């Protein structure tokens, strides 16, 4: 067995240990209901109060898709932020990323909308994608520029709906911010091999989530790296984690966007593991990475 790649930053190691403690040794064999319960408990343990004066309001889009709107006390931007949570298309909710969304809205001075899209395996491709697309269209119809943001599986959905908006000629997307996104890499080379047993997410985990999601291989919006043409996309911020099998998805997408003439800001958090957003109060690297994300979103919201 090869040595497991591990960062050396004490804060992120402590974060990883705390996350691991939420799952028993045989967690991989648990059913989806139990997996969600463990994930919800983990997320709750890393919760944080919203910025002072933040107003939250829950509602529905298209009469069925739950969303939550975050309005900062000083909402100085006309731009709307649209956040799509991660969780392998299997776990996650409005609650799991509530604090992250509130802090992003506050940092950007802009109203943010998050979506509770349908999850697999109960709802396979394109259910989650269609839910996110419906919310994006609704936001664009409101007449405000939109910045689309997503982490992990949410980064996949964010990149996919932005591609579809380009394909269908929809205007009004001011930017996209993708955080350790899974974008359709081949699973057998690069970081998928180098970080096959990375802490927090393994290549086997990625393969499992793809299998459960059941997107067909020719669905380009489900695998944005497979798109032949990336021209015409909005300004993009991409941040990856070094100790993550998805690392090279972020690298490759950033490189291809640059070659297509897109304005790109790329960061690789050298000591970070997958899901480091949740470590922003424990790890200096995560704190700095989150600050960079907030700064990029703030700039996109105020072009």
């Amino acid at each position: 067995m090869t040595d497991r790649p591990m960062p050396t930053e004490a804060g992120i190691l402590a974060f990883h240990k705390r996350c691991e403690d939420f799952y028993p040794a045989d967690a991989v064999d648990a059913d989806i209901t139990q997996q969600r319960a463990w994930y919800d408990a983990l997320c709750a343990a890393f919760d944080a109060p919203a910025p002072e004066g933040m107003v939250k309001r829950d509602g529905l889009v298209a009469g069925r898709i739950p969303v939550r709107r975050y309005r900062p006390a000083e909402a100085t931007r006309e731009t709307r932020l649209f956040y799509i949570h991660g969780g392998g298309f299997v776990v996650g909710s409005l609650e799991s990323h509530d604090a992250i969304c509130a802090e992003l809205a506050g940092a950007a001075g802009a109203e943010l909308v998050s979506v509770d899209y349908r999850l697999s395996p109960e709802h396979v491709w394109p259910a989650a994608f269609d839910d996110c697309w419906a919310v994006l269209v609704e936001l664009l119809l409101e007449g405000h520029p939109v910045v689309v943001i997503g982490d992990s599986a949410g980064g996949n959905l964010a990149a996919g709906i932005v591609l579809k908006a380009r394909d269908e000629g929809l205007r009004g997307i001011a930017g996209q911010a993708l955080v350790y996104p899974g974008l359709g890499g081949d699973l057998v080379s690069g970081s998928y091999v180098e970080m096959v047993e990375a802490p927090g997410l393994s290549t086997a985990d990625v393969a499992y989530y793809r299998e459960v999601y059941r997107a067909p291989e020719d669905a380009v919006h489900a695998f944005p790296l497979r798109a032949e043409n990336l021209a015409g996309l909005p300004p993009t911020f991409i941040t990856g984690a070094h100790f993550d099998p998805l690392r090279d998805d972020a690298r490759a997408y950033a490189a291809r966007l640059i070659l297509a003439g897109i304005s790109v800001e790329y960061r690789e958090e050298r000591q970070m593991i997958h899901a480091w957003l949740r470590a922003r109060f424990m790890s200096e690297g995560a704190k700095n990475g989150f600050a960079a994300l907030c700064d990029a979103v703030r700039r996109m919201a105020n072009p």
Side-chain angles (χ1 to χ4, degrees):
M1 181 176 178
T2 58
D3 290 336
R4 190 183 192 192
M6 293 291 288
T8 57
E9 192 214 85
I12 202 66
L13 291 172
F15 165 75
H16 175 58
K17 173 64 166 58
R18 190 175 177 190
C19 291
E20 291 284 284
D21 288 345
F22 278 89
Y23 295 91
D26 60 350
V28 69
D29 298 319
D31 62 26
I32 292 297
T33 300
Q34 181 61 73
Q35 294 280 358
R36 289 174 182 156
W38 285 327
Y39 185 77
D40 290 345
L42 184 156
C43 294
F46 290 98
D47 202 10
E52 187 174 352
M54 179 74 61
V55 175
K56 303 179 188 180
R57 179 167 52 89
D58 289 354
L60 296 174
V61 165
R64 63 172 183 82
I65 306 168
V67 296
R68 179 170 296 166
R69 291 180 181 263
Y70 300 77
R71 186 165 183 81
E74 297 183 7
T76 58
R77 314 290 187 222
E78 286 300 314
T79 303
R80 297 290 183 261
L81 314 180
F82 177 27
Y83 195 93
I84 307 174
H85 71 77
F89 312 106
V90 170
V91 299
S93 65
L94 294 179
E95 301 303 329
S96 65
H97 288 62
D98 180 71
I100 291 169
C101 289
E103 290 167 38
L104 272 171
E111 185 174 309
L112 181 148
V113 177
S114 66
V115 58
D116 194 10
Y117 56 83
R118 287 171 289 175
L119 298 174
S120 298
E122 299 93 331
H123 305 283
V124 298
W125 167 270
F129 183 89
D130 287 348
D131 289 352
C132 295
W133 174 252
V135 175
L136 176 63
V137 170
E138 177 83 4
L139 291 174
L140 291 173
L141 287 174
E142 291 177 2
H144 302 283
V146 177
V147 175
V148 184
I149 312 161
D151 71 280
S152 193
N156 170 284
L157 291 164
I161 62 173
V162 168
L163 268 175
K164 182 173 180 178
R166 190 274 317 263
D167 294 343
E168 299 201 358
L170 268 66
R171 299 184 180 276
I173 299 179
Q176 62 178 338
L178 311 177
V179 182
Y180 37 79
L183 300 171
D186 61 20
L187 300 184
V188 295
S189 66
S191 57
Y192 286 108
V193 175
E194 183 184 346
M195 298 296 167
V196 65
E197 293 291 344
L201 185 74
S202 69
T203 298
D205 293 332
V206 179
Y208 165 76
Y209 292 135
R210 285 194 194 177
E211 180 181 355
V212 171
Y213 192 42
R214 291 174 57 184
E217 293 295 318
D218 60 352
V220 172
H221 295 147
F223 303 102
L225 268 173
R226 303 179 191 180
E228 292 184 7
N229 178 17
L230 297 180
L233 292 173
T236 300
F237 174 84
I238 302 181
T239 179
H242 180 76
F243 294 92
D244 185 350
L246 298 178
R247 180 194 67 204
D248 287 358
D249 280 24
R251 285 183 181 177
Y253 204 58
R256 287 199 56 206
L257 287 169
I258 291 169
L259 289 173
I262 309 304
S263 174
V264 176
E265 183 177 348
Y266 174 73
R267 286 176 61 95
E268 186 171 301
E269 308 302 336
R270 301 295 297 174
Q271 282 291 313
M272 293 298 99
I273 64 175
H274 195 78
W276 59 256
L277 279 183
R278 214 171 298 282
R280 63 198 182 282
F281 298 119
M282 293 185 67
S283 156
E284 191 67 22
K287 177 183 176 181
N288 292 338
F290 186 68
L293 171 65
C294 290
D295 180 63
V297 170
R298 180 171 54 247
R299 285 183 277 113
M300 288 178 181
N302 186 32

